[in-house]
Amino acid sequence: MSHDPRTANMWKTQNASFFDLDFYRLVDIKITFQLKGINLQTVRHRELPDCYLFHVTITFDNQCHSGKVKLFLDIDAESSTCKDWKISGRAQKNTHYLLMFDGFVILVCITSAVLCTRSIILAVRLLQRFSQFFQENFNHKVCAEDQSEFLNGWYVLVIVSDLLAIIGSILKMEIQAKSLTSYDVCSIFLGTSTLLVWVGVIRYLGYFQKYNVLILTMKAAFPKVLRFCCCAGMIYLGYTFCGWIVLGPYHEK
């Protein structure tokens, strides 16, 4: 049974028969409504304020009939620019500068991704020519270790970081334009891209002799370190699940 009352008295009238029922027969109640709010603190230089629409769902769960009704609250928020406001003027200039900077970042990332992709394609073609030459003259196939010398993994890392930065910048521009509210998704893309960019900086340290020795040592030890992490990860997961099972019933989360 659902109602769409306009006033509090109408809501009481429509639900009077419901509250006359015995509560031990109650299974669950779900109440849904919408709230609208305005954030006036962001208004600067006659720009439109931020409007928020909250979709609220309150659920009373009594399916267990244990004497304690469980309460669940679910809220989904949407952000948008307030409409039908008679405000004259123009938006803040800093917003336009940020959008221009984001566009420049996207352009640079696209250029970098295209150049790295071109380098990988040329490396693959060179590998094919080298394999054909080696097969025709020496009647042997090129081993996997020698084939890996033609493919530069740093280029793949740069392409992935560029793609993540492009997607994150587009989401950031949409959020600034108040078309989206996916803050978590945007932060994941931009944060991961930043991590990969700083990892890629290690490549340039290889041009120095002392740092190159350290990088070669890390490269040779990486498989063993990875195997150690797998073994240690099993112990960590066991400890985590043990704590979850033992302490979980004593906390609602």
Side-chain angles (χ1 to χ4, degrees), residues 148-191:
S148 61
E149 296 294 332
F150 288 87
L151 301 178
N152 195 336
W154 294 110
Y155 291 156
V156 179
L157 182 67
V158 172
I159 292 174
V160 174
S161 63
D162 288 337
L163 292 178
L164 294 177
I166 292 172
I167 298 175
S169 299
I170 293 175
L171 292 177
K172 180 174 177 290
M173 295 173 68
E174 292 294 331
I175 291 174
Q176 289 179 347
K178 298 182 177 60
S179 299
L180 294 176
T181 56
S182 305
Y183 294 97
D184 295 335
V185 179
C186 178
S187 62
I188 289 174
F189 278 105
L190 292 179

Side-chain angles (χ1 to χ4, degrees), residues 31 33 55-60 70-76:
I31 303 176
F33 57 92
H55 302 275
V56 184
T57 302
I58 303 176
T59 304
F60 298 88
K70 294 182 179 180
L71 178 63
F72 300 95
L73 176 63
D74 185 15
I75 301 177
D76 294 330

Side-chain angles (χ1 to χ4, degrees), residues 10-46:
M10 184 184 299
W11 187 85
K12 294 180 180 179
T13 304
Q14 293 179 353
N15 294 275
S17 60
F18 174 77
F19 286 102
D20 291 338
L21 298 175
D22 295 328
F23 275 96
Y24 70 87
R25 300 171 56 185
L26 175 65
V27 178
D28 60 5
I29 301 177
K30 183 176 290 185
I31 303 176
T32 58
F33 57 92
Q34 296 181 356
L35 293 176
K36 294 182 179 180
I38 302 176
N39 187 10
L40 298 177
Q41 295 181 357
T42 60
V43 179
R44 296 178 180 177
H45 302 286
R46 297 179 178 270

Side-chain angles (χ1 to χ4, degrees), residues 209-246:
Q209 182 178 2
K210 294 183 179 180
Y211 289 104
N212 188 41
V213 174
L214 178 60
I215 293 174
L216 293 178
T217 304
M218 294 174 58
K219 182 178 179 181
F222 182 75
K224 296 181 180 179
V225 174
L226 187 61
R227 287 194 293 267
F228 170 79
C229 292
C230 292
C231 296
M234 296 297 176
I235 301 176
Y236 176 76
L237 288 177
Y239 172 78
T240 303
F241 286 120
C242 177
W244 185 12
I245 295 172
V246 174

